[in-house]
Amino acid sequence: MDGISDESPIEAKKTKSKTPRKPKESLLKQKSPAEFFAENKNIAGFDNPGKSLYTTVRELVENSLDSAESMSELPVVEITIEEIGKSKFNSMIGLVDRERVDAALYDDYETEKAREKRLAKEARAQEMQAKNAALGKKVKETHAPKVGKGRGEASFYKVTCKDNGKGMPHDDIPNMFGRVLSGTKYGLKQTRGKFGLGAKMALIWSKMSTGLPIEISSSMRNQNYISFCRLDIDIHRNIPHVHLHEKRENKEHWRGAEIQVVIEGNWTTYRSKILHYMRQMAVITPYAQFLFKFVSDAPDKNVSVRFARRTDVMPPIPMETKHHPSSVDLLLIKRLIAETSKQNLLQFLQHEFVNINKSYAERLIGEMGPDFSAKTPVKSLTSQQLVRIHQLLRQAKFDDPSGHCLSPAGEYNLRLGIIKELHPDMVATYSGSAQVFEGHPFIVEAGVSVGGKNVKQGLNIFRFANRIPLLFEQGADVVTRTAHKRINWSSYKINQIQDKIGVFVSIVSTKIPFKGTGKEYIGDDITEIASAVKYAIQQCCVQLKSKIVKKIQAREQQERKRNLSRYIPDASGAVYNVLKQMTQLPAAKKIRYGDDDVELLRKVSENLITKETLCEKLAKHVEQVDYEMALEYATQSGVSEEPRETIYIQSLDAENKIIDLQTPFFVFRVFQ
């Protein structure tokens, strides 16, 4: 028909849908560092509430130690974990408690059928126990049924850490805590942390789990005020959100920092880990004083542990160093060129790297080719030239870096820490010289103890990296594998199963080769470190073997003395009876005796020498022989005859002027 389209309605619809649309704008989004770590909090050790509580304590304690040590101040660290009940937490955030209206709505609701089933099960158990008791069988103690905690019923804790460190500048506090990946630890040096992430992650976790801000109090030397700051973090913009930032009066002239954060946690599960961490930290830092408290509404749950200072000798402050040429990559070379103040290539190589002097720098430049000269401006180097420099630095031969930039605990402190916390029967320590892996210097220190308090039988492994205890992922660690598989303990007179053996290994380096994102263990695949760990443990075992052998000899001497003393009465009686019979011999037979023998027989016959006299003389002889053997043993052991007494050096007043002459084994102190 005229005037009517041949297209069907469907076809018309299809035709309409083919109309060109305006292209959408780009949907690319950018995440802030704070947002990234909030979504991947396991990278920083915040896997679950319990681990988060442990990591928060650990990060705050280590920041406090770094702060005090940076100004050569003997650290005093107080850490308090306060349990916060549901009602108190709700009042802190301004939420009113509300009774449940629809109980069946909640995850921990128990239906009538489930309740009957549970009660029937408990009744059967009680009946069985009654029968066993009637038959005289051993009855197991019944425990109260566990009340299921709903998914929404979290546990909250207020963590407070107070120290006597150098404090923080007033204006820098917001950025130091409220901006992720901003810190003071980016130089090439031995540090406990690397990115200053720990305290910020505690703030992020607090914001995620409680929504409450963090509170910081700080006062620096020669400051007459206390900086107080209450803040949280804008996750999406990675900037601090400051609630209050003010200066307060400092009447007590306090110096240091105090950080307080409220987070979700799990004390019950991680109690042992946190206390174990504090104990190990007291071992590796015996010059620090720690006071740990756990405060709960139930007094029987309260914990208070004080780890006293036992020395005032601190390790030297680690120094920042320059990069070793064999350890750099192309990006690092570009960054060094962008930041250097040197103009030409010769000066750049000579001053931006270790172990490159002027003559060696000239040889390297000559090897690079005709496009390079000593006066080539470093800012004008092309990408191809930078690749050539990188290739040569990777292939050339350089001296190993020295370990002067490292700060190990030292044998003195390591030995003192082990004795202070474990009270072993014997201990040996060893500190190796600086070695190198991938251009980074490292030092391995080790200690091996036998016996002690609160030490279980077998191997007890204590691992430290840059003077930080490592508690997790122990099985794959180089120290654990070395101690279990590469040390033949029996050859050192040590029973690996029955003896209480403590193995302490501390590794310090400008770069610790951690495996995994948690930074909790050092891999077993780096030959240099594995060999150094094995050698350090072996050297400790060699020292212990000589002590154990001498101890065995002394024990054998005591056993020999005991056996001899046991037979003194019988031997004296037998000798006296023989002498008595000899006095009754005819005079003709006595002629063949010498004058001394005749005199002896005369004294016996006149009762001047009795059986008791012989016992006394024989006992003195045994005692004299044992004393001489013990004296010889003591002389070989390097021990004087005087009894020894354990003496600990107490902290000194600031006005005392002293000079410390340190050796690996002791510290000689001169008072001026």
Side-chain angles (χ1 to χ4, degrees), residues 379-406:
K379 305 290 185 182
S380 66
L381 291 171
T382 65
S383 298
Q384 292 80 8
Q385 288 176 313
L386 291 178
V387 171
R388 175 60 186 144
I389 294 173
H390 176 233
Q391 290 175 344
L392 183 59
L393 293 181
R394 293 294 298 270
Q395 297 169 4
K397 181 174 63 176
F398 299 96
D399 292 336
D400 291 336
S402 69
H404 297 315
C405 60
L406 301 178

Side-chain angles (χ1 to χ4, degrees), residues 6-209:
D6 294 334
E7 291 181 342
S8 66
I10 297 175
E11 288 174 340
K13 196 173 184 179
K14 285 184 178 178
T15 304
K16 190 176 181 181
S17 66
K18 291 181 180 177
T19 305
R21 294 181 178 179
K22 189 177 180 180
K24 290 184 178 181
E25 295 182 4
S26 174
L27 297 177
L28 287 176
K29 292 183 179 180
Q30 183 178 358
K31 284 186 178 179
S32 73
E35 195 173 3
F36 170 79
F37 282 108
E39 294 177 359
N40 300 276
K41 56 186 182 296
N42 60 301
I43 292 176
F46 287 75
D47 306 57
N48 52 64
K51 184 80 176 293
S52 299
L53 180 62
Y54 162 79
T55 306
T56 299
V57 170
R58 168 179 170 167
E59 295 291 350
L60 295 181
V61 167
E62 288 162 14
N63 286 348
S64 294
L65 290 174
D66 283 336
S67 177
E69 290 174 8
S70 66
M71 55 188 300
S72 299
E73 184 78 22
L74 291 169
V76 178
V77 181
E78 298 179 16
I79 190 87
T80 304
I81 302 176
E82 182 183 349
E83 189 176 27
I84 298 176
K86 181 182 176 182
S87 299
K88 186 176 180 181
F89 174 74
N90 286 346
S91 66
M92 290 175 69
I93 62 175
L95 186 65
V96 179
D97 286 341
R98 178 178 170 81
E99 294 293 331
R100 293 182 179 184
V101 178
D102 186 356
L105 185 67
Y106 293 88
D107 179 57
D108 57 352
Y109 174 71
E110 186 179 37
T111 63
E112 189 64 31
K113 186 177 179 181
R115 183 173 178 275
E116 290 176 0
K117 188 176 179 180
R118 176 174 60 81
L119 292 175
K121 185 178 179 181
E122 291 175 8
R124 286 196 301 270
Q126 289 178 358
E127 185 180 352
M128 185 63 70
Q129 282 196 332
K131 287 182 179 179
N132 290 337
L135 295 173
K137 294 182 179 179
K138 190 175 181 181
V139 180
K140 292 183 180 179
E141 293 183 12
T142 56
H143 297 281
K146 293 183 179 179
V147 179
K149 180 180 279 191
R151 288 193 297 268
E153 288 192 48
S155 299
F156 300 101
Y157 302 90
K158 182 194 290 183
V159 182
T160 306
C161 185
K162 185 177 181 180
D163 63 60
N164 63 333
K166 65 179 181 180
M168 293 161 279
H170 180 81
D171 296 332
D172 291 345
I173 291 177
N175 281 330
M176 291 181 78
F177 286 90
R179 194 185 298 272
V180 175
L181 296 185
S182 64
T184 59
K185 299 182 178 181
Y186 291 133
L188 186 65
K189 63 186 292 189
Q190 173 193 325
T191 57
R192 285 192 171 91
K194 195 64 182 173
F195 306 115
L197 186 62
K200 293 159 194 170
M201 275 304 303
L203 174 54
I204 290 174
W205 175 245
S206 173
K207 188 174 179 67
M208 294 174 69
S209 60

Side-chain angles (χ1 to χ4, degrees), residues 452-510:
K453 293 197 309 184
N454 301 324
V455 183
K456 67 178 188 297
Q457 286 184 322
L459 293 177
N460 298 266
I461 310 295
F462 300 84
R463 303 169 294 135
F464 305 92
N466 281 350
R467 308 211 304 268
I468 295 177
L470 305 179
L471 269 64
F472 294 90
E473 302 183 54
Q474 179 168 300
D477 191 87
V478 61
V479 177
T480 306
R481 292 193 172 184
T482 300
H484 280 280
K485 297 180 179 179
R486 303 187 185 116
I487 304 295
N488 184 6
W489 295 97
S490 60
S491 65
Y492 301 105
K493 308 294 183 184
I494 299 174
N495 190 315
Q496 185 176 347
I497 299 174
Q498 295 181 355
D499 289 338
K500 298 178 179 179
I501 309 166
V503 179
F504 303 79
V505 176
S506 172
I507 302 173
V508 295
S509 176
T510 53

Side-chain angles (χ1 to χ4, degrees), residues 616-630:
E616 184 181 345
K617 293 286 185 183
L618 198 52
K620 282 184 179 180
H621 180 71
V622 169
E623 191 69 33
Q624 179 66 26
V625 170
D626 180 73
Y627 174 78
E628 290 174 356
M629 295 176 74

Side-chain angles (χ1 to χ4, degrees), residues 361-378:
E362 291 172 345
R363 290 177 61 189
L364 289 171
I365 294 170
E367 188 66 22
M368 290 177 189
D371 296 336
F372 298 86
S373 70
K375 295 184 179 180
T376 300
V378 287

